[in-house]
Each structure stands twice: as structure tokens, then as C-alpha cells.
Amino acid sequence: MTDNSNTIFSAAHRVDVVFDFLQRGSNTGYIGEKISQLEHALQAALFATQSKADNETVLAALLHDIGQFCSPPELNQMLVDSSDLKDDEEDPEDDSFAKKQVSVGVMGHEKLGASYLKRLGFSQKICDLVESHVVAKRYLTAVDPDYYAALSDASKQSLKFQGGPFSEEEVQAFESDPLFQQKVQLRKWDDASKVVGLETPGLDAY
């Protein structure tokens, strides 16, 4: 029998590890928004549940940003000037404002998160959905100008690091993906999960 102890963990261990990461997100602001990373994750999972998504899709919604937590904070940060974020609370008249750089997320966090969840033994579908939430943004910005216009400043800035809108060939390839509809829907839940003060079930609900 092959020893999978380095890659496959008990269900209890998986829950403890990922919930610990998510709980830390209660002390971390969600990029460019007035909610925490944990609130963002719980809102995404709530919207998936309300849409009667299957359990794997709900978990993918909950864990879609796990890659922001499971890597060192200094790793591959997508840095932009404060002046590029119109919603930044600092005074743009301050001489240091334009010179200050802020992070709009970890570069490749979707791939880091999917790889991490796979090592923990999460299903391929969950990993695929987690990995897709950035490419789904690239798809939606290519096919829907209104979608791009509605993105937050931070999300527009991170898009530059993430490859920008899809080409026509990339759009066609993405639309042929068997999980295409679920990937797009997860991205829309992600975008909607920025509501200040929204009451959601806690982590123990999952």
C-alpha cells in the first residue's frame, strides 16, 4: 500500500487547517474593501448556499481565496500605487500618497490555493473551482464591458497582473470547459461578497 501520509489528511485535520487560516482572516482586511477576508469568504459561501449549489461548490466558494493565507505575506505581492485606488482612505493631497505602494493580493493566489487544497486531499472539483476564480474574471471582462466597469479599483489593478481580459481564442476555450457555468457563477459570488455588515452563518456551519 502506498503511503499517502504527506498528501492525504484526515477530514478533521483538513477542517482544522483551513478553518485556522480562514479565522486568521478575521483580522485581515479584504483587499480594497471595508470587510475582513473572513467576512468575504463567509459571504461567498452564503451566496452559493442560497443558490442551492452542491456541497463541493459551496466549499469552493468558502475557500476560493485560501491562497491569500497559505503563503508567506511577502510572497509575490501585486503592488500598486495608492493613487491608483480611488477608494483608498488616505489623503491624495499628501505628498507621500502617490509614492506609497499597497498590495492588491498575492500573485497566483488561485493556483497556490488550489495546489494547497489538493495536497490536503480536497476533491478535484473544489480545486478546479478555486483555481478558476481569477480566469473567470478575465473571461467576464472580455465578454461584458459592464462587468469590468463595475469592478472595484483594486480588482481592476490586480487584473493587470493576472493577464488582463481573455483573447477571443481564450474565451472560446473557457466556454468549452465542463465546469464553465459553475466557474463563472463562483466568480460572481466572489464579486458580490463585499457587503458591509451582512450577517452570515459562521465557519461551524460548514
Side-chain angles (χ1 to χ4, degrees), residues 108-132:
H109 73 277
E110 74 285 4
K111 297 181 183 296
L112 291 168
S115 176
Y116 179 73
L117 293 175
K118 186 174 183 178
R119 292 198 303 273
L120 283 179
F122 282 84
S123 74
Q124 189 63 50
K125 180 177 179 180
I126 291 175
C127 296
D128 287 347
L129 289 175
V130 166
E131 187 170 358
S132 76

Side-chain angles (χ1 to χ4, degrees), residues 17 19-28 37-38 69 203:
V17 169
F19 278 21
D20 180 60
F21 276 128
L22 290 175
Q23 192 61 53
R24 293 181 202 174
S26 64
N27 299 317
T28 306
Q37 286 275 7
L38 176 60
F69 305 102
L203 284 172

Side-chain angles (χ1 to χ4, degrees), residues 25-43:
S26 64
N27 299 317
T28 306
Y30 179 62
I31 303 160
E33 304 295 335
K34 300 184 185 300
I35 63 172
S36 71
Q37 286 275 7
L38 176 60
E39 288 172 316
H40 174 66
L42 290 173
Q43 288 182 20

Side-chain angles (χ1 to χ4, degrees), residues 1-10 13-14 118-121:
M1 177 180 293
T2 302
D3 181 7
N4 292 322
S5 59
N6 291 327
T7 56
I8 305 299
F9 301 90
S10 70
H13 178 75
R14 292 200 297 269
K118 186 174 183 178
R119 292 198 303 273
L120 283 179

Side-chain angles (χ1 to χ4, degrees), residues 31-100:
I31 303 160
E33 304 295 335
K34 300 184 185 300
I35 63 172
S36 71
Q37 286 275 7
L38 176 60
E39 288 172 316
H40 174 66
L42 290 173
Q43 288 182 20
L46 172 63
F47 295 146
T49 301
Q50 290 176 337
S51 298
K52 302 189 184 306
D54 61 69
N55 289 339
E56 287 177 300
T57 303
V58 171
L59 283 176
L62 179 69
L63 301 175
H64 73 277
D65 271 344
I66 197 71
Q68 301 280 12
F69 305 102
C70 67
S71 55
E74 71 278 5
L75 177 66
N76 296 325
Q77 293 290 326
M78 296 181 285
L79 298 175
V80 301
D81 291 338
S82 291
S83 57
D84 291 329
L85 303 181
K86 298 188 182 94
D87 296 331
D88 197 291
E89 294 182 352
E90 294 191 43
D91 182 2
E93 298 299 323
D94 185 342
D95 290 339
S96 65
F97 180 78
K99 298 177 182 178
K100 179 182 176 182

